[in-house]
Amino acid sequence: MGRKGVCCCCAALRPRYKRLVDNIFPEDPKDGLVKADMEKLTFYAVSAPEKLDRIGAYLAERLSRDVVRHRYGYVLIAMEALDQLLMACHSQSIKPFVESFLHMVAKLLESGEPKLQVLGTNSFVKFANIEEDTPSYHRRYDFFVSRFSAMCHSCDHDPETQTEIRIAGIRGIQGVVRKTVNDELRATIWEPQHMDKIVPSLLFNMQKIDDIDSRVGPPSSPTGGEKEENPALLAENCFRELLGRATYGNMNNAVRPVFAHLDHHRLWDPNEFAVSCFKIIMYSIQAQYSHHVIQEILGHLDVRKRDSPRVRAGIIQVLLEAVAIAAKGSIGPTVLEVFNTLLKHLRISVDFELGDRRSSAGSATFSTSSKESDERIVQNAIIQTIGFFGSNLPDYQRSEIMMFIMGKVPVFGATSQSLDTSHLGDLGTRRIQIMLLRSLLMVTSGYKATTITNALPPPFLDPLLSPSLMEDSELRQLVLEILHNLIDRHDNRAKLRGIRIIPDVSDLKIKRDKISRQDVSFMKKHGQQLYRHIYLGCKEEDNVQKNFELLFTSLALTTIELANEEVVIDLIRLAIALQDIAIINEDNLPMFNRCGVMALVAAYLNFLSQMIAVPAFCQHVSKVIETRSLEASYFLPETIFKDKCNLPKSLEKHEKDLFFLTNKIAESLGGSGYSVERLSVPYVPQVTDEDRLSRRKSIVDTVSIQVDILPGNNTEDKNDNTEEITFEALKKAIDNNGLEEQEKEKRRLVIEKFQKAPFEEIAAQCETKANLLHDRLAQILELTIRPPPSPSGTMTITAGHAHYQSVPVYEMKFPDLF
């Protein structure tokens, strides 16, 4: 009798490969594989590779029989033999043998015995690490993907067995991935039906990580023992490996199941695990594919746009983390898409908040405030994402994004805004204005333009300054802070924080460069625009201490970054005009505002005088400040901005020693070579369409009208009922002495005319007056006015304070135009 009771004669008649296979099995399975006979079988298989398929089929037959009979010892021996044959044979004939091998592995995985499942998995992993000489065009791993994924979700009642099976499932998935990506038909593993099983299985095990914060960085390198014993670590490394092998065409298929898993398990609120997952994704994929992930997050945000605020906030937070990693890499065409989508959801959030407020008008206060608070979380997350994304972009892209966001800010009265807020009403529009400006503030943080023209191009400057005229102190503060980000190119703003009388400016160690030619040109073109908004910003009744501090910083930064001799004179004229606002008080400002303006002027002139270092000017400023500290400390910032400050009842009885005087300043600067002629011309801002668009209820007392002088229009017929303008009238009109009661009344009538009369009527009457003025000047003064070099010049007729500017703009004052 032969081994295992087989007749010797019958054994001799059996095929040789069967006899060799039978010989590797001992009578007692505890003795293990018979190594000598295994070497004979291996030599035979290598020498006759055409027999491999028969050897495999016979081994599979024996293994199946042993599995059914629960003879697990022989099963272990069969799998060990298969593993050794796989490692030894690499001929083209091995493919039929592999099919038999995979069939045996499948049998083991289908069994309900955990040990057999682990055994089959181990054999499959060994097989996955073998590089085959030629690809297999017909082999598929669908069963293994499904089975290994199911093992990843094992819920065995024994914790140790459960962990063992889950680890086996993860290792099996890792083997499938490695085997398929090295195959020329590797695209099959990336099909959605496979990814929808593989990715959630890995994420399910990754959720068991105790310390999430330790897993959010770039790929880690845990020890072999840790990876083998911890399903979470093993799943994460397999997930990283899977994503690292993803290419352009299959990246989306690997990412989309992540959203399905997070949705199904409600992991957006709280979203710690979601953030951890996407950090792993962003660090694992190739950098050039980052925009795919961002696009998928944006798309999912659109899908979940009607979910609870906290869910949307969780998705946006994930987007922020993804953007933070991708912003400095390759983000492709996603930039504008990110901002477009976020701005759209910002509007949706405001709409939801206001809708909840309207629908909850009669409900409990707690419910309403809770919904509003949740929507505020969404809005803050959007703002943070916009700002962070923009601030990490290259400068050339950041300037485009600044223009893009500014173009989205809704302006009252404008009908061509890209971000539709018409249905939100005034409150919703204001909310979006504030949030967009906050986003823009974050985007401009740290932006260093080489020239101020690059930082503040005209298409950006005009819409930016419009909100500075609105009757909302928060909006005006945001605009000034944005201006500071763009103007401050040497990081001096922190040194100027707070409004105060600085004893020695040199202690601040201000950094500055020589004013460039481009900056000088910018101030010539747009300086008056900046002065005007500072001037009008000081006249707002709802100004608080922060407004005055920001206005002071604006003046100081303009001095540091953009001031040459001409700009210095303009800034002094502006400061004196601000002082006149507080003294004359034609706008009926509260006493706090009047004293605040006086303190602002004192702080700024003290700073300016030390910056230009003209001794006589410094002496005059110091003397006024010293007198104020003794007699009227409420004119100084250290006193007026205290919580408890005794305000005066009026300012009319104060002595001139408390004020900064134009003649004294002109005298001090003139002795140092400054051209001080323009100091005698009071500063007067021009009123533009921005006042209408910003819904200012008050209009500046001085109204300026710009009338185009078109070629050929100078000889038009004049209306006979126009009052006669004589040389005495001209002389009286440009007189710079104190305001008379009659002049005030005429000015009031002019303002009333502009407030109530139709625009067409005003334009027609102004054109008539302009033509008449042109002819009278030529006749009386015998002055020939040459046309400006541009096709059309501009004549500005100002009613109010006397004012005159040189060509190409002729500006003269006529308080009795109407």
Side-chain angles (χ1 to χ4, degrees), residues 11 13-25 41 44 51 54-55 57-59 61-62:
L13 296 175
R14 292 167 62 82
R16 184 181 180 188
Y17 72 90
K18 286 188 177 183
R19 283 183 279 132
L20 291 172
V21 170
D22 289 339
N23 290 338
I24 68 174
F25 290 93
L41 177 63
Y44 177 77
K51 300 293 185 178
R54 297 182 184 182
I55 295 174
Y58 184 60
L59 275 171
E61 179 184 343
R62 289 198 56 135

Side-chain angles (χ1 to χ4, degrees), residues 404-476:
F404 179 79
I405 297 177
M406 199 65 243
K408 296 287 186 179
V409 177
V411 179
F412 291 113
T415 58
S416 60
Q417 293 299 323
S418 300
L419 194 62
D420 182 20
T421 60
S422 56
H423 65 288
L424 298 179
D426 290 356
L427 179 60
T429 300
R430 176 190 174 274
R431 288 288 307 282
I432 288 188
Q433 287 173 332
I434 289 177
M435 286 183 283
L436 288 179
L437 289 177
R438 285 173 56 193
S439 304
L440 188 58
L441 179 63
M442 294 186 67
V443 172
T444 57
S445 177
Y447 182 59
K448 296 291 189 298
T450 54
T451 64
I452 196 64
T453 305
N454 294 337
L456 291 171
F460 177 74
L461 179 63
D462 294 338
L464 173 64
L465 293 179
S466 294
S468 70
L469 301 177
M470 294 182 181
E471 293 183 323
D472 188 297
S473 61
E474 186 176 359
L475 280 173
R476 300 196 302 273

Side-chain angles (χ1 to χ4, degrees), residues 705-714 767 770-771 774 785-797 806-811:
I705 311 156
Q706 289 190 343
V707 182
D708 287 340
I709 306 175
L710 300 177
N713 285 352
N714 294 336
E767 183 176 5
N771 292 334
H774 182 276
I785 303 180
R786 292 174 293 176
S790 58
S792 62
T794 299
M795 175 174 289
T796 300
I797 308 168
S806 59
V807 293
V809 176
Y810 298 89
E811 188 169 55

Side-chain angles (χ1 to χ4, degrees), residues 371-402:
K371 290 180 179 179
E372 291 181 2
S373 176
D374 288 346
E375 289 297 342
R376 294 290 178 91
I377 293 175
V378 177
Q379 294 159 16
N380 289 333
I382 293 175
I383 293 170
Q384 189 178 8
T385 304
I386 291 175
F388 190 87
F389 194 8
S391 62
N392 282 278
L393 290 174
D395 286 346
Y396 73 92
Q397 279 189 323
R398 202 193 309 196
S399 60
E400 295 177 0
I401 294 305
M402 288 159 48

